[in-house]
Amino acid sequence: MPVYRRNRKVKVISESRTILSWIFRRLSKKRPKSPHLLATSRIVRRNGRRTFKLAKEWLFTHSGLNQVEKAYGLPAGAKLGDIINMAEKNDRKNPLNVVEWGCGAGVALSELAQKNEYGNRTRFFGFSDEAFSQWEKYLKAVSFIQAPATDFQHYLKKIRPGVIFSHYGLIHLSPADLAQHIKEIAPYLRPKGFIVTDYKSREYENPQIMIDIFARAGLKLMATGKNALVFQKD
């Protein structure tokens, strides 16, 4: 009987190790190369899980729409709402998708989505490398994507946005990284689509640096603000 118990104990340990090895192999599998299909009003992560990682609180994490518009300082007729309306008119055959690059907690994007000034075929997406628990409050109006910036183009293949805007997001990329990134995402912007970004930072004190980067990717300067540049795809 003692021998049997010892053998049984060894058997149980062996089975436990087998189970642990199986779990470890499953967790160690590489993330899928192709992104999951996006659905309206969802939080999507690169690996498909809806868990949150702790996000850092930056100065502009919770900026509202009025703060963003004020910081941009764009002239009348070139505000974010105006740009969205122009993008809708440029492509009436397809739904318009609007993306905020570096959306933070999603406050400005949700306020923009809830203005009800656009067609019912306009959808809003927030993109961030970190997730925020506040996103859950805005899921009726906005879909959120958490992924590294290097994965952004994978999602744009499906979204094909007509408008991308960024508030203290793109300017965190170095000129070399920004040039590569814009080159990668520009093909997925719809014809005559727009990219709006601020530019005042140590890297881009001379806005011509950013203007040249976008020009090489086929985007021409359409409007300027106190701290914003509006580009349109040729």
Side-chain angles (χ1 to χ4, degrees), residues 39-93:
T40 304
S41 300
R42 283 190 57 192
I43 296 174
V44 180
R45 291 193 66 193
R46 188 73 175 93
N47 61 1
R49 297 179 183 175
R50 284 177 54 110
T51 54
F52 294 109
K53 73 172 184 178
L54 185 63
K56 295 179 181 178
E57 294 290 327
W58 301 101
L59 181 61
F60 302 102
T61 296
H62 302 276
S63 295
L65 181 58
N66 288 338
Q67 291 173 277
V68 174
E69 292 280 26
K70 185 176 180 180
Y72 278 167
L74 288 165
K79 304 288 187 184
L80 284 176
D82 300 318
I83 291 169
I84 291 172
N85 286 327
M86 281 189 280
E88 284 183 326
K89 293 176 182 177
N90 290 340
D91 187 2
R92 295 185 183 277
K93 294 182 180 179

Side-chain angles (χ1 to χ4, degrees), residues 102-114:
C103 63
V107 179
L109 184 63
S110 66
E111 291 175 354
L112 190 64
Q114 293 168 15

